[in-house]
Structure formats: C-alpha cells, structure tokens
Amino acid sequence: MLAVVFVAALVVLALATQAGVIVLQHRYPAHGKAIEVTGATLNVLDIGPRDAAGPPIVLIHGASSNLEAMRRPLGDRLAVSHRVILIDRPGHGWSSAVGEEAATPAAQGRMIEEALKELNVGPVILVVHSWAGALGARMALDYPARVAGLVMLAPVVYPWPGGVGWYNELVTKPLIGPLLVYTVTLPLGYFLAESGASAVFLPQVMPDDFVANTATPLLLRPREFLANARDLVRLKQAVTEEAPRYPEISVPTVVIAGDVDKTVSTNIHSRPFAAAVPNAKLIVLPGVGHMVQNAAPDLVIREIEGLIALPGRGNAAAAN
C-alpha cells in the first residue's frame, strides 16, 4: 500500500510539474531570436543602434538565471547608445543544449563564438557575471580576436573549498536526479525562489519584483534546473584547468567585485585573477555583495564605456 501511495504521489507531482512548466513558459515568453549552433539553440536578444560607434557589448549571465538578469540593470541602459547583445547561456532561459557536453565554460564559449559569427559582428566588449566569469576568461584565451575588452563582475575563476550544494550534486546523479527534477523541484522551488534570490543580494536588498521581472522561475523547469546543476558541478574542474593560463590573457580587463560577497569570495577569485592578468584593473566595492551590477550599475556602465573609449576601438563594430 505504501508503494502504491508513493508511486501515486510521484505521478501527481510529475503532472503538477508539467502543468507548472506550461504556466511558467506562458508567463515568461522568449524575448530574442533563436540561433542554431553546434550542440545548442541559443536565444539571443540584440538591442540598441546597429551603427553605434565602438564594439558591441555582449552581456552573459551567471548561474540560476537568464539574460534578463543582465538586461534589467545594464542592458537596457547601455542600449540607448550602444549595440547590446544578450544571450541565454546553453540550457538556460530560452536556450536549449544537448547533453552534458554543453556544461563547461569552454563548450559554452565555443557556442557563443559561433552565434556571434552568425550575427556577423566583429570584436566585442564581453561583460560576464559570476559563473560566466570562467566563460569570459576562457573566451579571452580561446578567441582573443573576438574580445576587445573584458569586464568581470564577481567572477568565478579559481577552484574553491567545498562544493556547490548537495541538491545540485544529487540531481546530476543517474536515475535519482531526473526523478527529482521531474517531480519535486518545481513545486518546492516555487516557494523558495524568492528567499533564495534574496540571499544572493545580501547585504543589499533585492529589488522589488526582481524574481518576476527577471523570469527567474524559469530555472525551475526540469531541463533548465538540470542544466544549471551540471554547470555548477563541472565548474571547479573547469577553472582548475584554465587558471594556469590566465597570464596569457592580453585583452584590456576590468574586474569588479564586492568585499562582502558571500556567494563568490573576492579573495579567492577576483583579487588573484586581477593579479594574474597583465594590466588588469581591479575595483573592490566596500559593503557590496554578489550582485554588483545591481548594487553599482553606474560604475559598471562607466567601466564598460571606458573600455569602448580606448584607442583603436572606434571601428571595432565593423563585421569580420
């Protein structure tokens, strides 16, 4: 009898999850165009004047989010006078991805490079947050002609003590992982999304309606939750492999982090990265946590525009 009740409960939760996916995707529709690349379909939002002086700005979000998390504090404002390209990372938002091979900074960097070629843009100012710090560093190493300037916001770039959360580890396991994400993750996560997002902002206060305005609940869809967990689980090995190469980064680089970031340690990541990259500029904001683009958007925008204004950037918007 207990087995029957258990199976019945799983069926109900699975049906509730599928209904929840339909509701979430209706509530938070895609904004952007689909670009086919090897191993994924990327959702790309291209805004701002196409003929703006200087290179386009590419904004890439971190873990547990999508392109809206970068559009709200930075993208819309920058697009007043610059071409801005926002991309849902593979498996996130409205981008799809095929299997675990898409879960590394190297693979995602290759996919983004392929999408930018499809858009026929030249060198870009690459602005990355958190998890995507490893992706930004990797693109600067693998595609130096693509990256005219690199802005790293609270980046993850080195191995760290500990893991990435027991639940992320668990859902990447065979059998038990898919069972969890297709039954309990969405119903449970729906009630925890607000508090989870709020914790990332500390000690700053999360903006009103941040979760809804940034389509954060899309993360609770099974395929995205699983993709996000895979990204996190594979990240430490990825940064361990790429970190010795950081002194090879030759593009102008700015690193911005908060000195009380409890999500990504500034001492473990931003400080040593800025020391390793030749001529990198480090800005550590006192009393600021992980969401530096929300805490200090004016400063971040100034630094982005400072890279655009560097000599030799005037004609960089021309297509390859």
Side-chain angles (χ1 to χ4, degrees):
M1 179 60 72
L2 288 176
V4 172
V5 171
F6 179 71
V7 171
L10 290 179
V11 170
V12 170
L13 288 169
L15 292 173
T17 293
Q18 293 308 308
V21 168
I22 294 171
V23 171
L24 289 176
Q25 294 190 158
H26 178 74
R27 184 176 298 170
Y28 306 111
H31 299 288
K33 61 180 282 189
I35 296 181
E36 298 291 334
V37 299
T38 305
T41 301
L42 298 186
N43 181 51
V44 178
L45 181 62
D46 192 347
I47 57 178
R50 299 295 187 273
D51 58 350
I57 302 164
V58 175
L59 302 176
I60 308 294
H61 64 89
S64 307
S65 63
N66 58 73
L67 65 79
E68 293 293 341
M70 297 294 276
R71 184 172 76 87
R72 296 289 171 169
L74 300 177
D76 285 342
R77 290 180 58 183
L78 287 164
V80 172
S81 53
H82 305 282
R83 184 179 183 181
V84 176
I85 300 169
L86 300 108
I87 303 175
D88 281 331
R89 289 196 295 105
H92 297 259
W94 285 95
S95 290
S96 68
V98 179
E100 296 184 28
E101 61 270 19
T104 65
Q108 295 189 17
R110 175 187 56 76
M111 294 174 183
I112 290 171
E113 166 66 7
E114 193 173 333
L116 293 174
K117 284 183 177 179
E118 181 68 21
L119 289 172
N120 200 32
V121 299
V124 302
I125 301 296
L126 186 60
V127 183
V128 292
H129 178 237
S130 195
W131 189 100
L135 185 157
R138 188 61 187 249
M139 288 192 69
L141 289 165
D142 291 351
Y143 311 104
R146 167 65 63 196
V147 183
L150 181 61
V151 179
M152 308 276 275
L153 307 176
V156 180
V157 278
Y158 286 98
W160 63 93
V164 292
W166 67 269
Y167 197 79
N168 289 308
E169 299 276 0
L170 185 60
V171 300
T172 59
K173 303 298 183 186
L175 300 179
I176 184 65
L179 178 64
L180 289 172
V181 296
Y182 282 93
T183 55
V184 302
T185 297
L186 192 154
L188 180 62
Y190 188 80
F191 294 102
L192 299 177
E194 197 82 20
S195 60
S198 181
V200 178
F201 275 85
L202 293 175
Q204 279 68 53
V205 176
M206 183 174 70
D208 292 340
D209 299 324
F210 172 84
V211 170
N213 287 339
T214 57
T216 298
L218 288 176
L219 171 68
L220 302 175
R221 294 172 299 170
R223 60 96 172 162
E224 182 170 351
F225 196 93
L226 186 54
N228 188 66
R230 286 172 174 162
D231 286 358
L232 291 168
V233 167
R234 299 187 67 176
L235 182 58
K236 184 183 285 190
Q237 181 60 37
V239 294
T240 300
E241 293 172 357
E242 72 180 41
R245 297 182 58 197
Y246 293 155
E248 301 172 25
I249 294 175
S250 59
V251 303
T253 301
V254 178
V255 185
I256 307 174
D259 69 345
V260 290
D261 188 341
K262 302 300 183 185
T263 302
V264 175
S265 168
T266 297
N267 288 335
I268 292 174
H269 299 277
S270 292
R271 292 185 190 277
F273 180 79
V277 174
N279 302 314
K281 178 181 180 180
L282 173 65
I283 301 172
V284 178
L285 303 175
V288 171
H290 187 56
M291 301 296 283
V292 293
Q293 65 268 36
N294 293 87
D298 292 344
L299 181 144
V300 173
I301 289 171
R302 282 200 304 273
E303 293 300 325
I304 293 169
E305 292 184 328
L307 290 182
I308 293 173
L310 289 175
R313 299 288 182 266
N315 296 320
N320 284 335

